[in-house]
Amino acid sequence: MIESGGKKTTSTFPEGNSREDHPIPGKDKEASSKKGSRDNVIIKVKDLNLWFGTHHVLHDINLDILERKVTAIIGPSGCGKSTLLRTLDLMNKLVDTCEMKGEVIYQGRNILERPGNIYDIRKRVGMVFQKPNPFPKSIYQNIAYGVHIHKIHRVKDVDEIVEQTLKDAALWEEVKDRLQESALGLSGGQQQRLCIARALAVEPEIILMDEPCSALDPIATSKIEDLINELKRQYTVIIVTHNMQQAARVSDYTAFMYLGKLIEYGETHQIFERPKQELTENYITGRFG
Ligand SMILES: Nc1ncnc2c1ncn2[C@@H]1O[C@H](COP(=O)(O)OP(=O)(O)O)[C@@H](O)[C@H]1O
Ligand SMILES: [Mg+2]
């Protein structure tokens, strides 16, 4: 059977990369003046353990997520990728049998213990799911709905938000003449970009994507990948994917998980070209998975 490479991976930050090495691309005054971005670790996961009932699903996870980067989480099915993602937007708190220990530090506090306003976290941390799940409403309403429930008050009216977010999600040109038509009439790839637009409409900081392309064909997939590349100018993206080529194409950092443990975390090219752990190497070379 597969043996671990032996070394324990406890480093939270990709080795050899001090935070000074990671200036925020296109860093602007706004970014440095708010959101506590003295450094650019936006979420810090510390010694996270998670159980569903007696099933110990996540083991001692330490992970620093960098602002305005794309981080991919890879690993075989059932290793805890989605569970880790759902810890970050506090979805696991809704599961009765779920118990968590450790810390998820976001905006200066451990949100597992002190989430503050949970709706505020959900607004700041958007989620895009595996299967596109637009509401059975018009394209326009799909975006406007999120804006209304989060009661965003600002000068721009909803029409403008709808247009801008559809543009940001690279969908506007395809749907601008049919905004009042049902979202269910869109192709799968368009529906997924609509779901991304819907997530963007409430102005999140972080976008979590759980295998966002697994239901899509290669062309639709490549549009989403291009979009992810654009999104990191403004957002922090964390993407779960079981497609290693996709991780290599879209991400700056990659975290490899196996049996609930974070085996290795580092810059994507390092993970794929010079993995430090034997387990990582076995996985990326397709010896198991
Ligand atoms: N809500 C839940 N209740 C009980 N067990 C769960 C729940 N969600 C996930 N699990 C279990 O946690 C483990 C990790 O699952 P998951 O995070 O979905 O893996 P991955 O996304 O890597 O395929 C699996 O054994 C799964 O059955
Ligand atoms: Mg999953």
Side-chain angles (χ1 to χ4, degrees):
M1 282 304 289
I2 300 139
E3 289 292 316
S4 153
K7 278 181 271 177
K8 189 163 187 276
T9 308
T10 49
S11 108
T12 54
F13 207 90
E15 269 177 53
N17 297 302
S18 71
R19 64 197 192 199
E20 287 77 14
D21 294 339
H22 293 92
I24 298 166
K27 188 168 179 292
D28 53 30
K29 287 191 202 78
E30 188 195 42
S32 55
S33 66
K34 64 177 193 181
K35 301 173 189 166
S37 44
R38 266 179 302 126
D39 57 29
N40 50 351
V41 173
I42 191 164
I43 296 188
K44 189 174 190 71
V45 178
K46 275 173 79 178
D47 301 326
L48 176 69
N49 282 274
L50 180 148
W51 294 259
F52 289 114
T54 56
H55 185 185
H56 193 174
V57 172
L58 297 179
H59 299 254
D60 302 318
I61 305 285
N62 285 283
L63 181 66
D64 285 356
I65 299 292
L66 297 177
E67 186 170 34
R68 298 190 199 200
K69 300 286 181 193
V70 179
T71 300
I73 302 176
I74 63 169
S77 185
C79 71
K81 304 180 297 295
S82 297
T83 302
L84 177 57
L85 208 63
R86 286 198 295 259
T87 302
L88 306 181
D89 72 348
L90 301 180
M91 287 298 271
N92 286 326
K93 282 200 170 276
L94 302 175
V95 180
D96 287 343
T97 57
C98 179
E99 192 194 334
M100 292 181 270
K101 291 216 166 84
E103 297 175 56
V104 174
I105 297 170
Y106 176 52
Q107 298 190 314
R109 64 178 192 270
N110 177 12
I111 58 172
L112 299 184
E113 295 287 334
R114 296 171 49 220
N117 182 339
I118 206 156
Y119 294 101
D120 190 50
I121 303 275
R122 295 268 161 70
K123 184 173 106 53
R124 288 165 183 277
V125 184
M127 176 75 93
V128 175
F129 298 91
Q130 191 164 351
K131 196 165 172 292
N133 59 347
F135 305 126
K137 291 180 179 295
S138 70
I139 294 165
Y140 183 97
Q141 281 299 328
N142 263 271
I143 311 285
Y145 177 80
V147 176
H148 289 311
I149 59 166
H150 285 287
K151 295 193 180 62
I152 294 175
H153 299 294
R154 53 185 192 181
V155 184
K156 279 195 209 173
D157 66 9
V158 178
D159 283 0
E160 267 183 68
I161 297 173
V162 169
E163 178 170 344
Q164 190 55 49
T165 53
L166 287 170
K167 282 179 175 163
D168 290 347
L171 187 59
W172 174 250
E173 288 304 322
E174 294 165 53
V175 301
K176 63 183 180 192
D177 300 324
R178 50 193 285 209
L179 293 178
Q180 300 308 328
E181 291 177 23
S182 170
L184 302 182
L186 297 172
S187 71
Q190 289 172 326
Q191 288 188 9
Q192 194 62 305
R193 278 178 283 143
L194 181 65
C195 293
I196 293 171
R198 189 176 64 191
L200 301 181
V202 299
E203 302 187 329
E205 278 192 318
I206 301 169
I207 304 171
L208 310 177
M209 299 186 174
D210 196 349
E211 306 204 17
C213 302
S214 60
L216 305 181
D217 65 41
I219 291 172
T221 295
S222 107
K223 285 190 182 163
I224 303 273
E225 290 181 2
D226 290 347
L227 173 58
I228 290 170
N229 208 27
E230 284 299 311
L231 291 177
K232 74 176 181 186
R233 292 168 194 268
Q234 272 184 276
Y235 306 94
T236 301
V237 178
I238 308 174
I239 177 174
V240 166
T241 175
H242 62 241
N243 178 334
M244 283 182 278
Q245 288 76 21
Q246 177 166 75
R249 284 192 298 264
V250 302
S251 69
D252 302 298
Y253 291 88
T254 295
F256 168 57
M257 292 181 69
Y258 185 65
L259 297 179
K261 295 183 177 147
L262 178 62
I263 304 296
E264 187 165 353
Y265 175 46
E267 287 186 72
T268 295
H269 67 86
Q270 178 258 309
I271 296 284
F272 284 97
E273 291 160 22
R274 286 170 282 105
K276 292 180 181 152
Q277 303 291 331
E278 198 180 324
L279 260 181
T280 315
E281 180 160 0
N282 287 343
Y283 184 68
I284 62 172
T285 54
R287 266 170 253 171
F288 68 96

